[in-house]
């Protein structure tokens, strides 16, 4: 029976033979022959179908276990065997590629955790296990916030704003400082990348301490020198014109150095993460009235200064820090606006957020400089900045203060037309007056 031919050819052959029998004998013999032949054909196919069904029921079907077949069934089984071989080859290649990827990610100096759309751990490498003190075999499928419980991290995960990395001290290993970065990808999945920055932070702390110590040490001698210069100019001890000019210059430069030292000390205080914001209720309107007066005296009548208070909203924050940040923006507007220009200070509430803006009709800034303005000592025009008595640290101080208040700075400017600096405070810092 195994040599029995199949398919359309068989049917045609049987029909021809049955036709012949009908002609030679009669229709009964022809029909009898045709029925028996068709029955044999059905039995033949059923046999192979049963064999195929048995093979499909094997838990891991292999090409070797495929039944032998002839004719059409032989072709079908050969094609199935080829398909199996190809599939097993690509399966092997895929497994190899996965293994290579697993080894590569294990060798990475960064920790990598794949989180699903509900922030459960799908996979992590061994460095992530070390960083977070987790065990993939035990913790797979766990919510990441059950394992990394710091409130800062939980908040970071919930904000969905992952443009900046988050620095956390790993509580399970006190000495470990991690920089965490979340990268959304695919279908609401996230990659959590952790970097050990303990050494980097150590160097940064050393740098901060060094700058703070040097600034502190310079403070006293500068005060003494400044004091002497002031006495010298008040007492009129120097009579020559040349000497007087030198005294004015020396006094100016000493004051500049004092401002620089004060700004450096302010910056190191702001940078120190141990130094928490001294939260209080800040009456922004009062602060702006004071700054308005200061702006008038700094301008000495050279500018038109306006104050627009659209809201009496108060802010939750540090009075000293906010005053210093706003003061820097106001003093910049006066210093970088030519005589006759306009400076407008405004305080408004927009969608629950407090917005402080200083707008000037001054010299303006080219677009290319705007992203770098808040870097320390970054100046658009060094000579002009020195001429206006700037230290190059004003906007760095502003940026730090705003960061500490979860606020951000928006700068728009056009050279020759003027600039606008706006500090946006989040709604959670707004205090609306209750009557
Ligand atoms: P500086 O002490 O030099 O003013 P800042 O950090 O306060 O330092 O400002 C950095 C630079 O940004 C300045 O040198 C100046 O070029 C530019 N700048 C800041 N505010 C303004 C402004 N209102 N108009 C034009 N340029 C400005």
């Amino acid at each position: 029976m195994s040599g029995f031919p199949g398919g359309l050819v068989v049917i045609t052959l049987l029909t021809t033979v049955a036709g012949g029998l009908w002609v030679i004998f009669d229709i009964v013999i022809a029909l009898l022959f045709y029925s028996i032949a068709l029955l044999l054909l059905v039995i033949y196919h059923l046999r192979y179908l049963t064999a195929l069904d048995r093979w499909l029921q094997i838990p891991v079907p292999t090409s070797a276990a495929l039944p032998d077949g002839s004719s059409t069934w032989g072709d079908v089984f050969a094609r199935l065997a080829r398909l199996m071989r190809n599939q097993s080859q690509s399966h092997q290649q895929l497994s190899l590629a996965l293994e290579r990827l697993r080894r590569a990610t294990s060798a990475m100096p960064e920790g990598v955790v794949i989180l699903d759309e509900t922030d459960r751990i799908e996979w992590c490498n061994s460095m992530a296990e070390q960083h977070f003190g987790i065990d993939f075999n035990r913790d797979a499928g766990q919510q990441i916030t059950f394992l990394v419980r710091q409130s800062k991290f939980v908040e970071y995960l919930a904000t969905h704003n992952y443009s900046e990395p988050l620095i956390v001290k790993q509580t399970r290993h006190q000495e470990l400082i991690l920089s965490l970065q979340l990268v959304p990808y695919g279908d609401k999945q996230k990659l959590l990348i952790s970097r050990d920055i303990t050494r980097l932070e150590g160097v940064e702390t050393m740098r901060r301490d060094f700058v703070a110590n040097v600034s502190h040490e310079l403070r006293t001698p500068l005060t003494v020198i400044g004091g002497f210069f002031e006495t010298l100019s008040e007492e009129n001890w120097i009579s020559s014109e040349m000497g007087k000019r030198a005294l004015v210059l020396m006094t100016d430069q000493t004051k500049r150095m004092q401002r620089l030292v004060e700004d450096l000390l302010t910056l190191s205080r702001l940078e120190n993460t141990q130094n928490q914001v001294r939260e209080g209720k800040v009456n922004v309107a009062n602060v702006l009235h004071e700054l308005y007066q200061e702006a008038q005296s700094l301008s000495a009548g050279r500018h038109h200064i306006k104050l627009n208070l659209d809201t009496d909203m108060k802010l939750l924050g540090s009075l000293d820090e906010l005053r210093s940040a706003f003061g820097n923006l106001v003093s910049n507007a006066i210093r970088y606006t030519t005589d006759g220009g306009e400076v407008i200070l405004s305080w408004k509430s927009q969608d629950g957020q407090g917005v402080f803006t200083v707008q000037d009709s001054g010299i303006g800034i080219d677009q290319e400089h705007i992203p770098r303005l808040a870097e320390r000592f970054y100046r658009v025009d060094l000579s002009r900045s020195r001429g206006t008595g700037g230290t190059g640290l004003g906007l760095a101080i502003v940026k730090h203060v705003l960061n500490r208040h979860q606020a951000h700075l928006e700068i728009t400017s056009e050279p020759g037309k003027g600039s606008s600096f706006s500090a946006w405070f989040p709604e959670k810092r707004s205090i609306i007056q209750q009557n």
Side-chain angles (χ1 to χ4, degrees):
M1 182 91 74
S2 65
F4 203 97
L8 209 69
V9 185
V10 181
I11 302 283
T12 319
L13 202 69
L14 289 179
T15 314
T16 318
V17 175
L21 287 174
W22 188 2
V23 174
I24 300 169
F25 303 104
D26 61 9
I27 189 160
V28 179
I29 297 208
L31 278 178
L32 198 68
F33 165 78
Y34 204 54
S35 310
I36 293 170
L38 281 181
L39 188 70
L40 288 176
L41 197 63
V42 169
I43 292 171
Y44 163 81
H45 284 300
L46 265 178
R47 182 173 161 252
Y48 281 107
L49 266 176
T50 317
L52 183 63
D53 184 49
R54 262 205 302 276
W55 177 76
L56 283 172
Q57 283 178 27
I58 303 175
V60 189
T62 57
S63 59
L66 265 171
D68 286 331
S70 63
S71 175
T72 316
W73 283 104
D75 288 350
V76 169
F77 292 149
R79 254 182 248 133
L80 262 176
R82 221 174 14 251
L83 211 72
M84 293 290 299
R85 268 198 303 279
N86 288 347
Q87 210 181 30
S88 116
Q89 253 172 19
S90 34
H91 186 264
Q92 259 175 13
Q93 277 167 358
L94 211 67
S95 306
L96 275 175
L98 264 176
E99 181 56 25
R100 273 203 300 273
L101 199 72
R102 201 189 61 77
R103 277 204 225 125
T105 44
S106 298
M108 268 170 77
E110 280 98 11
V112 182
V113 184
I114 296 180
L115 300 176
D116 69 8
E117 64 274 24
T118 55
D119 299 330
R120 287 174 194 279
I121 299 175
E122 268 189 5
W123 179 85
C124 71
N125 68 353
S126 47
M127 195 48 89
E129 289 184 314
Q130 280 180 38
H131 285 170
F132 299 115
I134 57 178
D135 175 354
F136 178 62
N137 293 327
R138 188 191 59 211
D139 299 323
Q142 278 268 26
Q143 197 85 34
I144 186 77
T145 43
F146 288 169
L147 304 161
V148 186
R149 286 165 175 266
Q150 279 106 321
S151 52
K152 265 164 85 182
F153 175 73
V154 178
E155 253 176 51
Y156 178 64
L157 194 66
T159 55
H160 297 284
N161 174 13
Y162 311 128
S163 50
E164 294 283 322
L166 173 78
I167 312 290
V168 291
K169 240 195 189 127
Q170 190 44 299
T171 40
R172 296 192 195 198
H173 321 265
Q174 267 307 324
E175 71 290 353
L176 200 66
I177 301 172
L178 295 176
S179 159
L180 305 182
Q181 177 87 59
L182 273 161
V183 187
Y185 77 98
D187 195 14
K188 290 188 182 154
Q189 281 167 304
K190 294 182 199 89
L191 263 187
L192 171 62
I193 299 168
S194 58
R195 282 186 199 97
D196 180 357
I197 53 159
T198 317
R199 279 187 56 200
L200 218 74
E201 279 291 294
V203 174
E204 183 62 14
T205 310
M206 256 167 61
R207 179 195 66 77
R208 257 195 322 259
D209 289 351
F210 176 75
V211 173
N213 290 340
V214 170
S215 313
H216 196 75
E217 292 302 320
L218 283 174
R219 214 181 195 177
T220 319
L222 277 174
T223 314
V224 175
I225 296 169
F228 276 124
F229 285 153
E230 251 170 54
T231 318
L232 279 177
S233 19
E234 277 164 17
E235 302 290 326
N236 244 342
W237 278 349
I238 296 173
S239 49
S240 78
E241 272 313 302
M242 167 88 172
K244 279 183 183 163
R245 271 208 307 277
L247 192 60
V248 170
L249 254 169
M250 287 191 288
T251 314
D252 278 355
Q253 290 305 316
T254 312
K255 282 189 181 144
R256 208 172 89 78
M257 275 202 274
Q258 281 177 318
R259 279 199 301 275
L260 194 64
V261 163
E262 288 310 319
D263 278 359
L264 281 172
L265 281 170
T266 308
L267 256 183
S268 36
R269 265 196 304 274
L270 293 171
E271 277 179 331
N272 191 346
T273 43
Q274 311 286 321
N275 209 347
Q276 298 286 317
V277 177
R278 295 232 302 270
E279 308 277 6
K281 184 167 154 185
V282 180
N283 188 330
V284 179
N286 282 355
V287 172
L288 294 195
H289 275 297
E290 283 171 27
L291 288 178
Y292 175 71
Q293 299 299 333
E294 279 173 27
Q296 298 274 19
S297 76
L298 187 65
S299 155
R302 291 176 295 126
H303 308 91
H304 305 286
I305 306 172
K306 283 191 199 151
L307 174 63
N308 292 338
L309 295 173
D310 292 346
T311 175
D312 60 356
M313 180 197 275
K314 316 237 175 346
L315 276 182
L316 183 67
S318 153
L319 172 65
D320 289 344
E321 289 185 19
L322 292 175
R323 205 182 179 292
S324 145
F326 293 175
N328 271 311
L329 292 178
V330 175
S331 115
N332 277 354
I334 302 280
R335 288 188 294 119
Y336 296 108
T337 301
T338 40
D339 293 0
E342 192 179 49
V343 174
I344 306 168
L345 322 185
S346 64
W347 174 234
K348 63 176 181 185
S349 149
Q350 193 166 320
D351 302 326
Q353 303 178 80
V355 192
F356 168 65
T357 304
V358 183
Q359 200 179 338
D360 65 54
S361 61
I363 58 169
I365 310 154
D366 253 329
Q367 284 303 310
E368 56 172 297
H369 297 292
I370 291 181
R372 300 195 56 195
L373 281 189
E375 287 174 21
R376 285 148 210 253
F377 300 114
Y378 186 85
R379 270 96 163 222
V380 174
D381 179 342
L382 190 60
S383 55
R384 186 157 11 194
S385 172
R386 282 218 176 110
T388 63
T391 60
L393 296 171
L395 289 180
I397 292 176
V398 173
K399 189 181 140 196
H400 270 86
V401 170
L402 295 189
N403 272 350
R404 283 161 67 86
H405 288 78
Q406 299 80 44
H408 69 273
L409 187 65
E410 260 179 30
I411 308 172
T412 50
S413 189
E414 213 179 309
K417 294 234 165 112
S419 318
S420 162
F421 288 74
S422 294
W424 288 74
F425 291 86
E427 206 176 342
K428 64 178 179 185
R429 293 225 161 248
S430 315
I431 306 172
I432 312 284
Q433 201 73 38
Q434 302 286 333
N435 289 319

